[in-house]
Amino acid sequence: MDFIDDSLTDSLSQPQRRKALRRELRQRRRALSPLQRRQAADALGKRLRSLPEVQRARRIAIYLPNDGEIDVTVLLPWLKRRGAKVYLPVLRPLSDNRLWFVHYHEDTPMVANRFGIREPHTRHGAHRARQLPPWALDLVLLPLVGFDDAGNRMGMGGGFYDRSFAFVRHRRPRPRLIGVAHDCQRVERLPIASWDVPLDAIVSDARVVRPDRG
């Protein structure tokens, strides 16, 4: 997949560049055929299953794909065999764009949130026994709109994961954060923002990127 031409965006401000890139990269993943998406999901699952932090994790947050996002639910049968607990993000009611993480299984009652994304029903997730605080997760697989070879990433722009995991910069214990995307969402250089939470790795259907934090 060709990189985005920087000359088309260099004259824009950083917020404008991020908006233009986000629009282009979302179009890239939407343009993938159903077959390409299935093949990418299978390749992603194989790469994820080989990672030590995925193999060790027992409390794992995933997401349900939306808007062309790469599908991580291919991991569910493998996670079930290993006895891992799976959690889904839920938009916290009356909060400033933060997430709950609610235990998920085949009988979990689901609803569409305000973005049209399916999530555990709020009344179901409100029970503390079904929730896990972000710091108590072992691993989080979060969807990306874009990434580069330096390990920088771009999300959807709502800041839900950034706010929910801002603590990882200074608090232990903390979960491992792995961003996932189609490889066609890779760019040569990604404009970053100060609030972007750093990731431990980025995994696509074609590669694993480990950020060099110096």
Side-chain angles (χ1 to χ4, degrees), residues 82-102:
R82 292 178 56 247
K85 281 193 170 183
V86 173
Y87 294 81
L88 287 180
V90 176
L91 303 184
R92 285 181 57 179
L94 307 175
S95 74
D96 53 346
N97 287 13
R98 294 177 188 268
L99 300 170
W100 277 341
F101 288 88
V102 176

Side-chain angles (χ1 to χ4, degrees), residues 12-28:
L12 304 177
S13 67
Q14 179 163 297
Q16 290 173 324
R17 289 188 68 205
R18 288 171 66 91
K19 184 176 181 180
L21 279 170
R22 187 175 285 114
R23 181 172 57 249
E24 165 67 18
L25 293 171
R26 290 176 70 186
Q27 289 172 348
R28 283 188 183 185

Side-chain angles (χ1 to χ4, degrees), residues 82-142:
R82 292 178 56 247
K85 281 193 170 183
V86 173
Y87 294 81
L88 287 180
V90 176
L91 303 184
R92 285 181 57 179
L94 307 175
S95 74
D96 53 346
N97 287 13
R98 294 177 188 268
L99 300 170
W100 277 341
F101 288 88
V102 176
H103 184 216
Y104 172 71
H105 51 80
E106 56 269 19
D107 296 323
T108 299
M110 305 290 287
V111 295
N113 65 25
R114 65 178 182 268
F115 299 111
I117 302 170
R118 291 184 62 75
E119 65 179 23
H121 197 289
T122 303
R123 288 196 299 272
H124 174 86
H127 290 271
R128 290 189 179 274
R130 300 187 182 114
Q131 291 182 29
L132 204 63
W135 59 263
L137 292 161
D138 297 322
L139 175 73
V140 181
L141 300 179
L142 56 151

Side-chain angles (χ1 to χ4, degrees), residues 35-180:
L35 177 59
Q36 288 173 315
R37 294 182 189 187
R38 287 195 300 273
Q39 291 172 334
D42 289 341
L44 175 75
K46 183 177 180 180
R47 291 184 186 279
L48 288 171
R49 290 191 297 271
S50 72
L51 299 184
E53 53 264 68
V54 179
Q55 294 171 357
R56 291 192 300 263
R58 292 295 177 267
R59 295 167 294 186
I60 301 176
I62 68 167
Y63 64 90
L64 301 184
N66 180 65
D67 190 43
E69 293 167 341
I70 197 163
D71 189 355
V72 293
T73 65
V74 294
L75 287 176
L76 287 175
W78 181 75
L79 292 172
K80 185 176 182 179
R81 288 194 300 271
R82 292 178 56 247
K85 281 193 170 183
V86 173
Y87 294 81
L88 287 180
V90 176
L91 303 184
R92 285 181 57 179
L94 307 175
S95 74
D96 53 346
N97 287 13
R98 294 177 188 268
L99 300 170
W100 277 341
F101 288 88
V102 176
H103 184 216
Y104 172 71
H105 51 80
E106 56 269 19
D107 296 323
T108 299
M110 305 290 287
V111 295
N113 65 25
R114 65 178 182 268
F115 299 111
I117 302 170
R118 291 184 62 75
E119 65 179 23
H121 197 289
T122 303
R123 288 196 299 272
H124 174 86
H127 290 271
R128 290 189 179 274
R130 300 187 182 114
Q131 291 182 29
L132 204 63
W135 59 263
L137 292 161
D138 297 322
L139 175 73
V140 181
L141 300 179
L142 56 151
L144 307 180
V145 171
F147 69 98
D148 64 23
D149 288 341
N152 299 311
R153 57 95 178 183
M154 174 181 287
M156 282 293 290
F160 291 94
Y161 284 96
D162 290 309
R163 290 182 178 88
S164 300
F165 291 98
F167 67 88
V168 302
R169 298 179 186 274
H170 53 78
R171 176 175 175 169
R172 300 292 186 275
R174 72 168 187 86
R176 295 292 182 180
L177 304 180
I178 297 181
V180 295

